Structures are given as C-alpha cells and as structure tokens.
Amino acid sequence: MKTDFQPDKRLIEQFNILEQKIDAAIKLITTLRKENEQLRAKITELENLRQAARTKINNILDKIDSLV
C-alpha cells in the first residue's frame, strides 16, 4: 500500500518562518560579536591612553615637586 504523503502547507510555512527567524538571529549574533570585538579593542586603546596620561601627569607633578 503506497500513500503519497503531502505535508501540511501551514506546517511548511511555519518551518519557513522559523528558518528565517533563525537566519536573522544568526546574523544578529554575528554582528553583535563583531561589535563586541571592536568595543573591546576600543577599551584597550582607551586604557592605554589613560595610563599614558597618568604617567605624564605624574611626571609633571614630580617636576613641580622638585621645583618647590
């Protein structure tokens, strides 16, 4: 006995919608990971600048102390 299975069109449509949502989620995750990477690099850059500024300020304060 051979039966031709015809999947429910609504089920197929729901699977297609789910697939689109999964694709969108993957794209969003990829975008957020790239943005996170960029932000981490920016944090490192800013921390280095802060440390350089602290060093300069300390050097200036040492010079002032030596003059006083």
Side-chain angles (χ1 to χ4, degrees):
M1 182 168 149
K2 184 178 178 182
T3 59
D4 290 330
F5 176 73
Q6 296 295 325
D8 185 359
K9 289 180 182 180
R10 289 178 296 165
L11 185 60
I12 292 173
E13 184 178 323
Q14 288 175 347
F15 276 122
N16 288 336
I17 291 169
L18 179 60
E19 184 178 24
Q20 290 171 359
K21 288 181 179 183
I22 290 171
D23 288 342
I26 290 170
K27 287 179 185 177
L28 178 59
I29 289 168
T30 301
T31 299
L32 290 173
R33 282 184 175 162
K34 287 179 184 176
E35 183 179 338
N36 190 18
E37 224 175 271
Q38 293 169 346
L39 291 171
R40 287 180 188 273
K42 187 67 173 179
I43 287 171
T44 300
E45 177 187 343
L46 292 173
E47 286 174 343
N48 290 338
L49 286 172
R50 181 182 65 182
Q51 184 58 43
R54 281 185 175 179
T55 300
K56 287 181 181 180
I57 289 170
N58 286 335
N59 289 340
I60 291 170
L61 291 174
D62 288 344
K63 287 180 183 179
I64 290 172
D65 284 342
S66 69
L67 293 174
V68 177

